[in-house]
Amino acid sequence: MDRLHPRLLLFAGLAVAISTSLASPSDAIRNAGDPGAKGRAIIETAEAHGSGFNDVRAELKMILRDSSGREAVRRMRMRTLEKPRGDWSLIVFDEPKDVEGTALLTHSYATRPDEQWLYLPALKRVKRIASNNQSGPFMGSEFAYEDLSSQEVEKYTDYQYLGDDKVDNLGTWKVERRPVSDNSGYTRQIVWIDKPHYRVQKVEFYDRKNARLKTLTVDDYELYLDEYWYPHTMTMKNHQTGKSTALLWREYAFRNGYTDRDFDRNGLKRVH
């Protein structure tokens, strides 16, 4: 059985778990009566099969590129704990020296605002990220804080199946969705999900003026534990500034025995 975890859409994984029994469209997708029902069915079917990984950790290399192509590199660690409706994640920066020890803790929820805390070692202070600031950029990257939380179905509305498409010659469904939160920096997103394994291949983000803002592309998926598809490369390109951020993932490890105590905001000062 191969799985792919759709809830960990962006930073918190983008890994998508899906059983091989879903290699063909589910009855819910086939029987959906209109584009709205089919779009939601595609996302719900993927999420419904996204459980069971328990927890995961990985190492990341973040490459920030400005519009001239100049690069800055950061190295991080990430770990995620699976929760019933919204996962928890922790990102810790290891390099360069000026951001070493900086940590972002995210508690994601399906039906209420996420909670996020940022630890700044230079100030020895834990800063809560207010929900109306979660559209802001994360550590100078092209990822917003809201991109770093898990992506439950309930966080979006007005699902619409827009048609079939191809991404790198791979058959995909194209689905539009709109954030429920008034504090989101986006009016809508368009997601491409591949038909063979239900993996997210691409996401387009539209700003509050409904102009295309960013595109996320996801590549280099590998199958782990004969069950989980995880990407090794994610690139977020900002069409309005010409900047981009690439995330290179490695050293995935599953079922490490993490508990809620490993994601406690009171422990952020000790994660370094």
Side-chain angles (χ1 to χ4, degrees):
M1 179 171 66
D2 64 333
R3 292 176 158 244
L4 137 90
H5 193 299
R7 289 181 299 172
L8 306 178
L9 177 59
L10 300 183
F11 226 62
L14 243 170
V16 201
I18 197 78
S19 73
T20 50
S21 63
L22 293 176
S24 60
S26 70
D27 289 342
I29 297 172
R30 281 195 298 266
N31 298 332
D34 57 63
K38 184 169 182 175
R40 188 177 179 95
I42 291 167
I43 301 297
E44 283 184 334
T45 302
E47 187 188 90
H49 292 79
S51 61
F53 70 97
N54 295 344
D55 66 53
V56 61
R57 61 179 167 83
E59 296 181 8
L60 298 93
K61 180 179 180 181
M62 173 187 276
I63 304 174
L64 300 97
R65 295 187 178 92
D66 66 16
S67 57
S68 300
R70 290 173 295 195
E71 296 184 352
V73 175
R74 294 171 175 173
R75 297 183 188 278
M76 303 171 288
R77 292 165 277 147
M78 185 279 297
R79 62 191 184 208
T80 297
L81 177 66
E82 183 179 26
K83 304 290 285 185
R85 299 303 300 151
D87 300 327
W88 292 0
S89 66
L90 176 65
I91 299 164
V92 182
F93 284 79
D94 292 321
E95 297 179 6
K97 197 71 177 177
D98 62 338
V99 296
E100 181 181 4
T102 300
L104 176 70
L105 175 65
T106 300
H107 289 181
S108 294
Y109 304 101
T111 57
R112 64 185 177 97
D114 297 338
E115 296 178 290
Q116 291 182 304
W117 300 270
L118 184 68
Y119 175 60
L120 301 169
L123 302 177
K124 294 183 172 57
R125 177 184 168 211
V126 176
K127 174 185 176 184
R128 184 185 180 91
I129 308 298
S131 58
N132 59 0
N133 287 331
Q134 292 182 349
S135 61
F138 172 62
M139 296 294 287
S141 76
E142 298 312 308
F143 290 88
Y145 285 99
E146 66 179 304
D147 298 337
L148 312 186
S149 61
S150 57
Q151 305 285 305
E152 284 72 24
V153 172
E154 295 88 344
K155 288 183 173 179
Y156 297 90
T157 185
D158 293 338
Y159 285 93
Q160 290 290 322
Y161 163 69
L162 300 182
D164 291 355
D165 200 359
K166 285 195 172 182
V167 176
D168 295 331
N169 293 318
L170 193 63
T172 65
W173 291 291
K174 189 175 172 183
V175 177
E176 182 181 79
R177 61 186 183 184
R178 296 176 184 271
V180 170
S181 173
D182 292 335
N183 294 318
S184 174
Y186 312 120
T187 53
R188 60 190 177 104
Q189 299 175 6
I190 299 176
V191 184
W192 282 256
I193 296 178
D194 76 53
K195 295 182 179 181
H197 300 292
Y198 286 60
R199 297 170 300 193
V200 174
Q201 296 292 323
K202 185 168 75 169
V203 185
E204 284 186 350
F205 301 83
Y206 290 78
D207 66 15
R208 300 300 298 178
K209 296 180 179 178
N210 203 25
R212 191 174 65 150
L213 174 62
K214 303 185 295 189
T215 297
L216 174 75
T217 54
V218 189
D219 300 293
D220 304 327
Y221 277 101
E222 290 188 17
L223 186 63
Y224 288 87
L225 307 177
D226 295 325
E227 194 169 0
Y228 298 98
W229 285 104
Y230 271 69
H232 282 245
T233 304
M234 299 165 57
T235 304
M236 184 76 89
K237 181 176 180 179
N238 189 316
H239 300 289
Q240 298 181 5
T241 65
K243 297 179 180 179
S244 66
T245 299
L247 295 173
L248 309 180
W249 300 71
R250 66 185 186 94
E251 304 293 338
Y252 283 115
F254 298 84
R255 296 168 185 164
N256 304 281
Y258 294 138
T259 68
D260 289 1
R261 295 185 61 184
D262 296 301
F263 299 84
D264 182 354
R265 67 185 176 93
N266 294 321
L268 276 176
K269 296 179 181 179
R270 300 188 295 273
V271 297
H272 178 52

